[in-house]
Amino acid sequence: MGNIIVNVLIAFLIGSLLLGFQRKVMARIQRRPGPPVIQHLLHTLKFYIKESSFPRTAAMPFYIAIAATLCGIWISAVIIGPVLEGSLLLFFGIYALHKIVEHNAGSSSGSPYGKLSCVRAVFSAAAEMPLFAVLAIIYLQTRTMIISDIIGYQSIHGPLLLKLPLAAMMFFVLILSKAPYSPFSITKGKDIISGYETEHFGVLRGYLMISESIAWYMLLWIFLTVFIGGLSLPLYILGMVIITTITAFINATTPMLNPNHSVAIQVILAFVGIAGSIVLMLVM
């Protein structure tokens, strides 16, 4: 239990700082001073001392439970990942569950912004599902879906990043789609305020922000572990900072795409990654 608590705290704190760092880098690229790096962490803690309010249109008690559930599923991801180094398939199952909860978080509020966001969540899933083919590519290369075994494979044969660069590209697009202000972030576009989070205040918003921090940490952790191998915590942090900087640059210089273009581009990149990875495996 102590190991789980420590890993969850590490995921939350580092994830919060990385999200704050991303905003800072974006601001500097756009020649703005930007907020302090600890801003996301401060906002998260602030919501726990704010008054909680509930819209009359909310579907109670589902509206309350869904926010806590979103936080809980990413805590489960920490247990499956850094704690147990279990099945990669289970981790992606949690990601798929996140999409379902994201949809329900929007629909349960009764807000028109939330409802439009939950429709976009389903729409975006149509683009992200082909990216899950990265699972099959990894299995074909390593003959395992267990994270600890994948780490062991790389210790012998070298990083999968060098053997499956297009599969890594597919996973990176998946990470980019979850980054704040991403060109693919259609569920929380500026035209629908904060999307499924619009009507959540106080403690419920705090739950959502904790889940965002842990989710960002876990997506980066899985990427580094699966495509580079098991690393020490300082190297994990260095890798996460590098990936966060790259996503910040893309987000700061790329306009947000409309839903049709977002889905189309992600699907094209997925098929390029699938076809290219199969060809590389056959050649090598």
Side-chain angles (χ1 to χ4, degrees):
M1 181 59 71
N3 190 27
I4 293 174
I5 294 173
V6 169
N7 276 279
V8 169
L9 287 175
I10 289 174
F12 166 61
L13 292 174
I14 294 179
S16 297
L17 294 175
L18 287 171
L19 289 175
F21 175 72
Q22 185 180 67
R23 289 187 62 187
K24 190 71 172 182
V25 173
M26 289 177 62
R28 291 301 187 184
I29 291 173
Q30 297 170 346
R31 297 186 178 181
R32 296 182 289 109
V37 172
I38 62 171
Q39 190 66 50
H40 191 274
L41 178 60
L42 294 178
H43 275 325
T44 303
L45 299 177
K46 174 188 72 176
F47 278 112
Y48 284 94
I49 60 174
K50 293 287 186 178
E51 180 182 359
S52 297
S53 60
F54 310 96
R56 293 181 179 179
T57 55
M60 305 291 281
F62 185 64
Y63 173 74
I64 297 176
I66 202 69
T69 301
L70 189 61
C71 187
I73 62 173
W74 283 109
I75 292 176
S76 300
V78 174
I79 297 173
I80 293 171
V83 176
L84 299 178
E85 293 184 353
S87 173
L88 190 60
L89 191 61
L90 283 177
F91 179 85
F92 275 86
I94 285 176
Y95 183 88
L97 185 60
H98 166 83
K99 299 301 296 184
I100 297 172
V101 175
E102 188 179 79
H103 171 275
N104 291 331
S107 61
S108 64
S109 68
S111 165
Y113 302 117
K115 289 180 178 178
L116 185 55
S117 178
C118 76
V119 171
R120 290 187 178 183
V122 176
F123 199 47
S124 66
E128 294 170 7
M129 288 302 114
L131 295 171
F132 282 0
V134 70
L135 289 173
I137 296 170
I138 292 170
Y139 177 79
L140 290 173
Q141 182 68 38
T142 64
R143 298 300 177 182
T144 182
M145 295 294 289
I146 305 301
I147 296 173
S148 58
D149 293 340
I150 294 173
I151 293 173
Y153 175 91
Q154 292 179 99
S155 65
I156 299 172
H157 302 282
L160 287 179
L161 182 64
L162 302 178
K163 297 178 181 295
L164 303 172
L166 293 177
M169 178 271 293
M170 292 166 60
F171 199 101
F172 176 78
V173 172
L174 199 62
I175 292 174
L176 182 61
S177 70
K178 302 310 299 177
Y181 314 105
S182 164
F184 302 119
S185 184
I186 61 176
T187 58
K188 293 194 291 184
K190 295 179 181 179
D191 55 330
I192 51 175
I193 315 302
S194 298
Y196 63 89
E197 296 181 346
T198 302
E199 301 297 335
H200 292 79
F201 300 99
V203 173
L204 298 184
R205 188 60 171 266
Y207 283 143
L208 295 180
M209 294 192 72
I210 287 177
S211 69
E212 288 176 357
S213 299
I214 297 177
W216 185 248
Y217 174 89
M218 283 307 304
L219 286 170
L220 299 183
W221 185 90
I222 284 290
F223 180 88
L224 292 169
T225 302
V226 170
F227 291 103
I228 296 179
L231 304 171
S232 62
L233 183 59
L235 289 179
Y236 268 120
I237 294 175
L238 176 61
M240 290 176 183
V241 169
I242 292 172
I243 297 173
T244 300
T245 302
I246 294 171
T247 58
F249 178 82
I250 294 172
N251 296 345
T253 57
T254 308
M256 187 171 291
L257 302 170
N258 68 41
N260 292 328
H261 292 160
S262 174
V263 171
I265 291 175
Q266 289 183 80
V267 170
I268 291 171
L269 290 175
F271 282 110
V272 169
I274 294 168
S277 295
I278 293 174
V279 170
L280 286 175
M281 284 191 291
L282 293 174
V283 171
M284 297 175 64

